[in-house]
Amino acid sequence: GVRVVENEQGSRCTPNAIAFTDSGEVVVGQPAKNLLFSRSAKTVVGHGLLHGVEYGSAECDELLAAGLFPFEVTADAQTNAALVRVHSVSHAPEAMSARMLSQLKASSEEALGGSISILSAVIGSPVLATEPTRDALLAAGKRAGLHRVELIDEPVAAALAAELEIGSLASARRLGVYDLGGRSFSFSVLERQG
C-alpha cells in the first residue's frame, strides 16, 4: 500500500528550507526553518519561485519587488538565469531544490529499510509552470540522484495525498483543491472518471 514517509524529525511534512550556517554547514528541512531568524545562519526559503526565471525579466522584477526572498538574487553570467546568493556564493535554484529532494530521497530510503535505492520520483509542479520551470524541476531531480522524474500538477498531487489521508474522500466523485502558494492562487476541480 501507499503511505506517507516521516522525515528524520518524525514529521510527515518537510519545509522547503535550506540554511547555510556561518561555520559552513548546510542544513535542510525543519532544522533549516528553525534557523530562519538565527544570526549564525542564512536560511533560504522561496527559492522554488525562481525555477526557470531569467534575471531582469518582468517576472523576476515582480518577485524581487514583493520582497519575498531573505537572500540576494543575482544573474548567471552565461545564461542570465536568476541565482540565489548566500555567503558570497551563487547557487542555481534547482541546486537548492536538489538538496531538498536528496533529503526526501534519503528519508524515503531509510523508511524502506535502508537497503533500497530510490531511482524514480513523481514531483508536483505549479499548474501554470512554464517550460523553463518544468525543466528546472526535472534538473533538480536528476541532481538529487533520481534517474527518472515525472511531473504532475500540484492540485492533482494534493488530491492524491488528501485521498490517502482522509478516507471519506475515496468515494468522492469531485474534489476541489485550493493552491495558495507560490506565484499564483488557484482553485482546481478534479473529477474521478469511471
Side-chain angles (χ1 to χ4, degrees), residues 123-136:
I123 300 173
S125 72
V127 174
L128 302 175
T130 63
E131 200 58 38
T133 298
R134 295 175 68 81
D135 289 345

Side-chain angles (χ1 to χ4, degrees), residues 35-98:
L35 293 172
L36 190 58
F37 300 106
S38 169
R39 292 179 184 213
S40 64
K42 189 73 165 173
T43 301
V44 176
V45 292
H47 59 277
L49 296 172
L50 294 173
H51 282 153
V53 173
E54 189 173 308
Y55 186 82
S57 66
E59 184 177 16
C60 185
D61 291 345
E62 185 179 308
L63 290 168
L64 292 173
L68 300 173
F69 307 124
F71 51 82
E72 184 183 354
V73 177
T74 61
D76 183 289
Q78 280 82 36
T79 65
N80 205 40
L83 300 175
V84 173
R85 189 165 176 83
V86 181
H87 293 314
S88 303
V89 177
S90 294
H91 308 270
E94 56 268 23
M96 306 299 263
S97 292

